[in-house]
Amino acid sequence: MKVSVEERVYKKAAAHVLRYTTEDVIGVLVGRRGPGTVTLVDAYPLAHGPVMAPLLEIAFELIDANKPEGTTIVGLYEAVVKTNRSPTLTPSGVKVLEVIADRAGADAIALLIDQNTANDEEVITFHARQLSQKEHRLSEVPESGLSPAFAMSSLEKVIRERQYRSIVDFDAHFEDVSLDFRNPTLS
Amino acid sequence: MESKTKILERLVSKRDKSASDLKSIIHFVKNNNLRYPELVLDCSLQLLSKHSSGLDSEYHLIIEELVNAAIESDFLEVAMKGIKSLSRKFGDKNTKVIKIAGTYRESNGDENNANEYYDYILSENKNDLKVQKRKLALLKTKEDLQPYIEGLNKLLKDNMNDIETWAELGFVYLNNLNWSRALYSYEQVIMLNPSQFYAYIRAAEILYTQGTTDNLYQARNYLCYVIIHDPEITRALWTLFSVCRAIDRLSLIHI
């Protein structure tokens, strides 16, 4: 499977990570499926903490009602707080990915976001994984189509203008419903 | 009732902030347990650079906030300057200064030194719960969380009424999908302080996730309790909606 990522996804996912640097964050990815390809079109920050069924169900309903036309929920992104651990999904993240795969009846994509960067040029790095819908087995994406240079150029404005301060996830939305989980300012 | 985020937005959006405005922002974030380290850092730096002469007795309190915010935001050079200033004022042996220096070391990845600092404080006062927790937190960054969980349980043996530790234990169990133990931990929080509404909501979410009719009815009880006392907690309302919908579906199956 080939995965390509639009700028909006990098911006929102990274903003979510940068806003909550001391907590694990998770978000939902929507995109378009083609033969052997998935294009990630948008990201919806979900939570900065463990996710359970009620939040997930309501978030899916709201995302389904608001996502761009022609897209479906295709996966998630997750960032584990800066530690010595190698980038991997949390047990909770795996469960959510399985739910997404079962819901879509197709393989699901996971974007792992890592803050433990090996060099100063990349603030954070992205890694792609896919979960097979039949076996629920996680593996590397054969052609990830992730571009570190494109990701960094997308993030430049988010970091420079501190746009990440205003990111809203569903945790924040449920505290104050006037906060827009679609984050239109980052689109 | 205005949400904390909206109140903070209103405070921050004010142009040409005075020293009093900057202090209000810092105090609001601190008193409401909000996490906006870069905002606190900005405000502290502005206060210290433009209004330091008017701070008097609050000068070192602001420096302390600056250091904590700088550590959390990973501006370690700024944090170190603040720690040196506190050290000059209160001395190297001051417990608070050592504690802050310990968190600085943690942030810098120097866990061994951080551990030494915390051990020093505990040798003077072994009942310093905050430092015990800080020392335990060093285990949270490891791949294997079992020692951290064991440490939390050990802490609770000596401090059974510590709500923060029960909540942290619940959080860790939740992250590891250990529902029953997470539920037990949050129910301890509820018993210790029945006004901790977030614990009711967490417990209800766990019960809903676990499923079964009994769990759903118990979840509904918890959520109704929260909503009776504060009908504006949206998360509780949404979760109650999900629970009632699930109960409805179950009763249709049984018909």
Side-chain angles (χ1 to χ4, degrees):
Chain A
M1 186 194 292
K2 185 167 187 247
V3 174
S4 54
V5 185
E6 292 193 4
E7 188 185 39
R8 195 167 22 181
V9 174
Y10 284 127
K11 283 165 82 170
K12 287 189 184 180
H16 197 201
V17 173
L18 292 170
R19 171 70 182 87
Y20 298 104
T21 53
T22 56
E23 294 166 90
D24 297 349
V25 300
I26 188 168
V28 173
L29 298 171
V30 301
R32 293 191 181 92
R33 292 185 190 271
T37 65
V38 172
T39 305
L40 302 177
V41 168
D42 206 351
Y44 291 89
L46 192 57
H48 48 279
V51 177
M52 281 175 285
L55 178 78
L56 199 61
E57 285 173 12
I58 293 156
F60 280 161
E61 286 180 28
L62 290 172
I63 292 169
D64 276 337
N66 288 278
K67 64 188 191 307
E69 212 174 299
T71 61
T72 55
I73 294 175
V74 296
L76 60 80
Y77 68 82
E78 194 177 39
V80 175
V81 73
K82 188 175 179 178
T83 65
N84 298 325
R85 295 177 229 165
S86 49
T88 184
L89 279 178
T90 59
S92 172
V94 171
K95 278 281 173 209
V96 175
L97 198 62
E98 287 172 359
V99 167
I100 291 173
D102 289 341
R103 207 168 171 270
D107 291 0
I109 303 297
L111 264 191
L112 305 179
I113 305 173
D114 186 9
Q115 293 179 77
N116 284 328
T117 52
N119 60 66
D120 289 335
E121 285 166 11
E122 294 172 345
V123 174
I124 49 182
T125 52
F126 295 82
H127 308 267
R129 302 282 184 273
Q130 70 184 71
L131 183 92
S132 71
Q133 190 260 324
K134 286 179 188 154
E135 295 145 30
H136 279 187
R137 195 168 50 86
L138 207 60
S139 58
E140 299 252 356
V141 171
E143 291 179 70
S144 76
L146 297 176
S147 164
F150 181 59
M152 284 306 110
S153 70
S154 310
L155 300 187
E156 199 194 316
K157 195 175 177 193
V158 171
I159 294 169
R160 194 166 21 91
E161 295 180 10
R162 298 185 186 176
Q163 291 176 344
Y164 54 85
R165 282 194 193 172
S166 58
I167 192 86
V168 176
D169 59 13
F170 278 92
D171 276 344
H173 175 71
F174 288 139
E175 294 221 359
D176 179 357
V177 292
S178 68
L179 297 174
D180 194 346
F181 61 87
R182 295 169 298 183
N183 296 287
T185 54
L186 281 166
S187 292
Chain B
M1 198 170 71
E2 212 180 0
S3 74
K4 290 176 189 172
T5 319
K6 284 277 183 237
I7 296 171
L8 187 63
E9 259 176 44
R10 194 165 33 80
L11 291 171
V12 169
S13 63
K14 198 173 172 184
R15 294 177 73 179
D16 303 323
K17 297 182 196 48
S18 65
S20 170
D21 293 328
L22 294 168
K23 278 191 265 180
S24 297
I25 293 170
I26 293 172
H27 290 316
F28 186 82
V29 169
K30 185 177 176 177
N31 294 339
N32 287 283
N33 284 324
L34 301 174
R35 277 192 116 143
Y36 290 90
E38 290 196 19
L39 176 62
V40 171
L41 187 61
D42 272 345
C43 293
S44 311
L45 285 170
Q46 282 186 62
L47 269 172
L48 293 168
S49 59
K50 296 177 190 169
H51 307 282
S52 62
S53 54
L55 288 175
D56 298 326
S57 57
E58 286 181 299
Y59 181 79
H60 285 97
L61 283 171
I62 299 297
I63 296 225
E64 191 184 330
E65 292 305 317
L66 169 83
V67 171
N68 288 328
I71 288 173
E72 214 173 318
S73 312
D74 217 21
F75 287 100
L76 297 181
E77 284 178 24
V78 173
M80 180 41 78
K81 285 185 180 167
I83 291 170
K84 282 180 179 167
S85 173
L86 291 171
S87 194
R88 277 193 298 272
K89 169 76 178 172
F90 299 108
D92 285 338
K93 301 287 182 198
N94 179 276
T95 310
K96 212 171 203 179
V97 174
I98 298 174
K99 217 181 292 189
I100 292 175
T103 47
Y104 169 85
R105 294 271 174 244
E106 270 189 69
S107 194
N108 217 1
D110 187 359
E111 289 175 8
N112 291 333
N113 259 329
N115 229 344
E116 278 176 25
Y117 285 17
Y118 298 145
D119 285 338
Y120 173 79
I121 297 173
L122 290 171
S123 69
E124 306 268 307
N125 175 15
K126 65 176 181 178
N127 295 322
D128 191 329
L129 194 56
K130 281 195 172 157
V131 173
Q132 286 179 28
K133 288 178 185 178
R134 210 54 253 154
K135 194 171 151 68
L136 202 50
L138 291 170
L139 297 173
K140 200 174 175 181
T141 59
K142 306 297 176 204
E143 193 86 40
D144 177 17
L145 285 177
Q146 199 48 42
Y148 181 57
I149 293 173
E150 283 166 13
L152 286 172
N153 278 299
K154 188 164 174 281
L155 197 64
L156 282 167
K157 270 192 185 152
D158 298 329
N159 305 278
M160 282 215 70
N161 296 333
D162 186 44
I163 289 176
E164 195 181 41
T165 308
W166 278 115
E168 175 65 12
L169 190 60
F171 185 85
V172 174
Y173 281 138
L174 257 190
N175 268 328
N176 287 290
L177 306 183
N178 193 331
W179 305 121
S180 53
R181 290 190 178 180
L183 179 63
Y184 179 79
S185 303
Y186 283 114
E187 286 179 335
Q188 294 305 306
V189 173
I190 289 168
M191 284 207 303
L192 287 168
N193 187 346
S195 66
Q196 296 276 357
F197 295 145
Y198 78 90
Y200 288 89
I201 298 172
R202 274 279 186 235
E205 287 176 343
I206 294 168
L207 288 163
Y208 176 88
T209 306
Q210 286 182 307
T212 81
T213 315
D214 287 346
N215 283 347
L216 288 173
Y217 281 114
Q218 182 57 33
R220 192 177 66 173
N221 289 342
Y222 281 148
L223 293 164
C224 288
Y225 179 86
V226 172
I227 290 164
I228 284 167
H229 289 84
D230 189 346
E232 292 186 18
I233 300 181
T234 318
R235 196 177 182 121
L237 291 167
W238 271 117
T239 311
L240 182 62
F241 169 74
S242 294
V243 167
C244 290
R245 192 166 56 174
I247 289 173
D248 204 35
R249 282 195 202 123
L250 276 177
S251 46
L252 285 172
I253 290 167
H254 289 314
I255 288 170

